[in-house]
Amino acid sequence: MIGDGIVRTEGPLKVSGRARYSLERRLDGAPLYGVIVGAGIGRGRISRLDTARAEQAAGVRLCWTHRNAPPQSAYKPHPDLLDPQPQLVDDVVRYWGMPVAFIVAESLEQARAAAGLIEIDYSEEGGGFDFATAAAGATFEAGSRFGDVDAAMASGEARVDETYSTPYHFSMPMELNSCIADWRDGKLTVLLAAQIISQLADGLAETLRLDRAQVVVDSAYVGGGFGSKIGLHAEAVLASLAAIALGVPVKVSMTRRQIFSLVGHRAASISRVRLAATREGRLTAIGHDAIHQTSEQDDWKEGAAAVARSLYAAPNRLTRNAYVRVDVGKAEPVRGPGEVPGLLAVETAMDELAERLGIDPVELRLRNDTDIDPEKHRPLSGRRLAQCLREGAERFGWNERPKIPRSRREGDWHIGYGMAASIRGHFQSEAAARVRIEPEGRVLVQADMTDPGTGTYTVVGQVAGAALGVPVEQVKVELARTDFPRGWGAGGSWGAANTSVAVDRACAALRTEINAVAGTGYNDIFAEVRRHFPQGLEAVGRTTGSDDDPNYQHYSQFTYGASFVEVGVNAYSAEIRVRRMLGVFSAGRILNAKTARSQLIGGMIWGVGAALHEAAHVDPRNGAWVNADLAEYLVPVHADIPDIEAVLLEDFDEHANHLGIKGIGELGSGGTGASVANAVYNATGIRVRDFPVTLEKLIAGGLPLPD
Ligand code: MOS
């Protein structure tokens, strides 16, 4: 049962429209509609404000600015994603689009119309909006240092010392960040699009100065998150404040355009990667200096330089991050934080090193494989990078690759093959789940874990069914309410493992209790429960956080993958087409073959976007996002994605947890982007180190090539 690729148990509800997402849900009483008004400058102060016309507009129930918004707790100096996020607190504009007013009206149209009647003048202060300019003044953190990278570079028989840059990325899930807030009988219920809800409810209660017990967050169905629904954001705070003030449910949704300002982005990065190796391809030095954007508002930090720390052996190592302030709003987690920009840089540099050495890129990685964490000096649990590389090379037909760049042409197309390795941290956090066996013949599982489209409902049902010997159809899974047992939600690829372990432990406790009175020879667990526990029987199971689990001190925990790609680059237009992709992954025991494959394929497509499409651009004059919609912030569409296959190696990581499960959500993106870019190089001989790799950069690099 565990591992079977059964279809999503909530699938019929979703395809028939009966699974309601936050904004579609119904509460007693007609809701009001809130609209957030964002600042029209990037940095400065509000110098004049006139809300008279807006307040008198049809249907308007409330019009707030910093002058009259309700008091909230203070903004912490370096708030985490889930810390209080007070809104409309003063006249300072810290980034383009920052909320400066909030209107609630009887209809969305009335609220939008009234928002347009607010008059605001600003005095601009001229912020720093250009990342490259800010990066010039970067100071690196101490980082992680072993041996002497400078000396090893000086004496290396082969060397790479190159700089790679990655742009701002956004998560852009289909469902917008949105909510309905409802205040009745002294209790606030927020139906919210969110990934990690209990900690978010803590931050929300603190922002609103409510008792935590007064706040329930419910995120039953979530239309994608990818990091963008981890943090506490303006829509939840403003809708809650308004619901409390008016005593009526209030709906607020960001617009697609507002997400670019009000939800964080992946920080842009500039990475200098240094590699030195012997003639035989043994790395003697790995250096990665990564500079990232950060902002005044938030303390969450991308860490691209960390990816190299456990990836390859090398005696001399220096990996450091730096952060420079740019006034464009917050950096937040975006799928594969650290790994996506980090592996674009490191795995491109490895490709460059392989070429300089004349060694097959797969072989170069195999020669630098390690079972021991090179920096923590402890075993790498479930290290199966080599198996991923070998299996992938075999299945893909890597031996058929054009060994010399720009050496294969089919008609108008230059053909290239590329590959890269992936690594992703596996994390374990405290989590709890309640399992109840109901005598009528149903098992009920409850946890605050969310399912942002990942398959949580399904895999949790499979785990409980397997543990109790009950068909999955008889397991009812209820998720994503803060009044269910608390965990750390869906983020960081930890949710499925955390929750499954807790559910399995609850089931084990139930079996022990039933066995004590019924023996172990029974066939029907429900019959025994009816006989011995006519009221039903329930237990709560818990997962230990990694700080208290010796396995997480004795082993370094990662998942692994290898990505292989074939591209065609049009010889005349420089158009890049991915022709086929293969990812081979090792991520512990797989809970559901179908949902796992689907996650990994989604991640691989993400990698194509990182390599070829995605980039959000800032207007350097004022910090505005220039291409703030899905027409101009490009993501791959169906036509961009060809024959794509994800293969999962059979695995069971006994050091991760007793079920052998690790996370998979963010693994698929990993090194996929670098494999695409390496394939473009192999096709054309043109190395683009400034992502995304676009046709204009290939043209600048010399396409069309002389025949
Ligand atoms: Mo993921 S970036 O932790 O949703």
Side-chain angles (χ1 to χ4, degrees):
M1 184 182 284
I2 289 186
D4 291 350
I6 63 168
V7 299
R8 285 161 203 270
T9 50
E10 85 287 14
L13 291 178
K14 284 187 173 166
V15 297
S16 62
R18 284 173 294 154
R20 292 188 188 275
Y21 294 81
S22 57
L23 209 60
E24 305 170 322
R25 293 174 72 179
R26 304 267 192 275
L27 288 165
D28 290 344
L32 301 173
Y33 296 82
V35 164
I36 299 169
V37 180
I41 61 164
R43 182 119 199 133
R45 282 178 184 270
I46 296 169
S47 57
R48 189 184 72 90
L49 197 54
D50 186 346
T51 56
R53 286 169 65 213
E55 281 165 40
Q56 287 147 22
V60 169
R61 299 285 294 273
L62 173 158
C63 173
W64 281 339
T65 66
H66 70 276
R67 290 182 188 159
N68 62 340
Q72 300 149 70
S73 69
Y75 205 77
K76 294 183 180 171
H78 294 288
D80 199 354
L81 299 168
L82 296 153
D83 279 334
Q85 299 286 336
Q87 302 296 317
L88 309 174
V89 291
D90 57 27
D91 63 349
V92 179
V93 175
R94 296 174 175 82
Y95 56 95
W96 182 277
M98 182 179 145
V100 290
F102 181 61
I103 300 263
V104 176
E106 283 153 26
S107 73
L108 179 60
E109 291 73 16
Q110 288 172 328
R112 267 208 308 250
L117 298 174
I118 297 179
E119 295 173 28
I120 310 178
D121 291 338
Y122 302 96
S123 57
E124 290 192 58
E125 278 167 16
F129 304 121
D130 184 52
F131 171 58
T133 306
T139 309
F140 287 94
E141 296 178 344
S144 182
R145 182 190 294 266
F146 298 84
D148 186 340
V149 166
D150 291 331
M153 284 298 291
S155 62
E157 290 167 332
R159 285 184 285 253
V160 170
D161 182 351
E162 298 289 355
T163 298
Y164 307 88
S165 53
T166 65
Y168 296 106
H169 291 157
F170 281 91
S171 292
M172 289 298 131
M174 297 232 317
E175 184 199 23
L176 300 164
N177 294 69
S178 53
C179 69
I180 308 176
D182 187 42
W183 173 256
R184 58 188 80 199
D185 307 325
K187 195 158 188 174
L188 178 73
T189 302
V190 186
L191 309 175
L192 176 69
Q195 295 176 237
I196 299 178
I197 60 172
S198 291
Q199 293 74 8
L200 185 146
D202 298 347
L204 180 60
E206 200 181 334
T207 309
L208 305 173
R209 297 175 166 168
L210 294 177
D211 270 358
R212 176 60 173 78
Q214 291 175 280
V215 177
V216 172
V217 172
D218 177 333
S219 305
Y221 297 104
V222 181
F226 317 115
S228 69
K229 290 171 182 163
I230 291 177
L232 173 60
H233 295 118
E235 87 289 11
V237 173
L238 290 167
S240 299
L241 287 168
I244 293 167
L246 297 168
V248 180
V250 176
K251 285 190 178 192
V252 181
S253 178
M254 295 183 192
T255 62
R256 180 66 61 184
R257 197 165 269 277
Q258 281 182 321
I259 285 179
F260 284 80
S261 302
L262 302 182
V263 176
H265 49 263
R266 185 199 307 289
S269 77
I270 297 173
S271 282
R272 178 187 183 195
V273 179
R274 292 184 291 165
L275 301 173
T278 64
R279 229 181 304 283
E280 297 73 38
R282 307 246 177 243
L283 286 168
T284 52
I286 298 176
H288 189 170
D289 291 343
I291 306 168
H292 311 76
Q293 174 264 341
T294 187
S295 75
E296 181 191 20
Q297 290 85 36
D298 205 278
D299 206 24
W300 192 87
K301 291 190 163 84
E302 188 90 21
V307 289
R309 289 179 189 161
S310 306
L311 186 52
Y312 300 119
N316 302 291
R317 323 174 64 91
L318 176 58
T319 49
R320 310 181 286 185
N321 291 305
Y323 299 91
V324 294
R325 177 176 146 187
V326 182
D327 296 319
V328 290
K330 301 193 271 193
E332 288 192 2
V334 171
R335 199 170 222 207
E339 285 104 12
V340 166
L343 289 168
L344 281 171
V346 170
E347 285 296 288
T348 305
M350 283 295 279
D351 200 63
E352 303 204 45
L353 181 66
E355 189 185 28
R356 286 174 207 185
L357 286 162
I359 294 177
D360 175 348
V362 172
E363 179 59 28
L364 177 65
R365 287 162 175 87
L366 290 171
R367 284 186 195 173
N368 293 287
D369 192 18
T370 174
D371 289 335
I372 301 296
D373 188 317
E375 307 206 353
K376 296 205 163 122
H377 309 296
R378 60 192 191 184
L380 287 157
S381 184
R383 170 83 173 193
R384 300 182 71 204
L385 178 59
Q387 289 91 326
C388 294
L389 290 164
R390 289 201 178 96
E391 176 91 18
E394 173 69 30
R395 285 178 182 249
F396 192 76
W398 181 248
N399 276 337
E400 305 301 313
R401 77 187 190 285
K403 294 193 176 57
I404 296 165
R406 198 205 299 181
S407 63
R408 185 169 301 169
R409 180 138 172 189
E410 291 176 14
D412 291 346
W413 297 85
H414 299 289
I415 306 302
Y417 283 27
M419 60 78 52
S422 294
I423 184 168
R424 162 75 198 170
H426 170 69
F427 304 98
Q428 181 172 290
S429 346
E430 261 181 61
R434 177 163 51 231
V435 180
R436 177 174 169 78
I437 305 179
E438 298 176 336
E440 303 75 36
R442 188 175 79 151
V443 173
L444 179 64
V445 183
Q446 293 177 325
D448 78 341
M449 171 67 179
T450 55
D451 184 338
T454 49
T456 312
Y457 282 105
T458 311
V459 299
V460 165
Q462 286 175 275
V463 169
L468 295 173
V470 166
V472 74
E473 294 74 19
Q474 281 172 268
V475 182
K476 164 107 176 133
V477 180
E478 294 184 340
L479 297 175
R481 287 184 61 97
T482 51
D483 44 12
F484 294 158
R486 179 177 175 122
W488 269 95
S493 303
W494 54 59
N498 285 342
T499 307
S500 295
V501 168
V503 166
D504 189 71
R505 293 218 169 106
C507 293
L510 291 171
R511 285 201 86 125
T512 303
E513 209 166 328
I514 296 164
N515 294 352
V517 293
T520 54
Y522 55 83
N523 286 323
D524 183 346
I525 199 166
F526 294 113
E528 300 304 329
V529 168
R530 276 193 294 276
R531 183 178 317 157
H532 300 287
F533 306 96
Q535 306 305 312
L537 189 63
E538 73 176 43
V540 172
R542 293 180 197 286
T543 305
T544 313
S546 52
D547 290 349
D548 300 313
D549 183 338
N551 271 328
Y552 285 74
Q553 272 76 63
H554 298 150
Y555 296 89
S556 288
Q557 307 267 2
F558 293 92
T559 55
Y560 301 95
S563 171
F564 294 83
V565 175
E566 178 183 335
V567 301
V569 179
N570 189 283
Y572 303 103
S573 70
E575 178 190 1
I576 304 162
R577 304 302 303 177
V578 175
R579 291 159 62 114
R580 64 192 177 101
M581 306 175 69
L582 168 70
V584 177
F585 302 98
S586 171
R589 184 188 196 183
I590 296 309
L591 293 168
N592 180 308
K594 187 185 286 265
T595 55
R597 176 174 175 276
S598 167
Q599 284 252 55
L600 289 165
I601 283 179
M604 291 166 69
I605 294 169
W606 201 281
V608 174
L612 302 180
H613 303 115
E614 293 192 49
H617 299 287
V618 173
D619 187 329
R621 297 166 304 177
N622 54 23
W625 295 101
V626 174
N627 54 336
D629 57 46
L630 284 173
E632 298 198 60
Y633 180 83
L634 302 182
V635 296
V637 298
H638 280 87
D640 294 309
I641 302 302
D643 174 8
I644 178 170
E645 193 46 60
V647 173
L648 276 148
L649 299 183
E650 280 279 325
D651 197 14
F652 184 103
D653 191 332
E654 78 259 27
H655 304 302
N657 50 61
H658 75 280
L659 296 175
I661 307 164
K662 295 203 279 195
I664 55 169
E666 279 151 308
L667 177 61
S669 51
T672 304
S675 69
V676 174
N678 292 339
V680 172
Y681 174 76
N682 183 249
T684 61
I686 299 168
R687 183 72 74 178
V688 177
R689 301 187 183 89
D690 175 35
F691 291 95
V693 180
T694 54
L695 57 85
E696 60 268 31
K697 292 175 191 171
L698 290 179
I699 289 168
L703 270 189
L705 300 162
D707 282 322

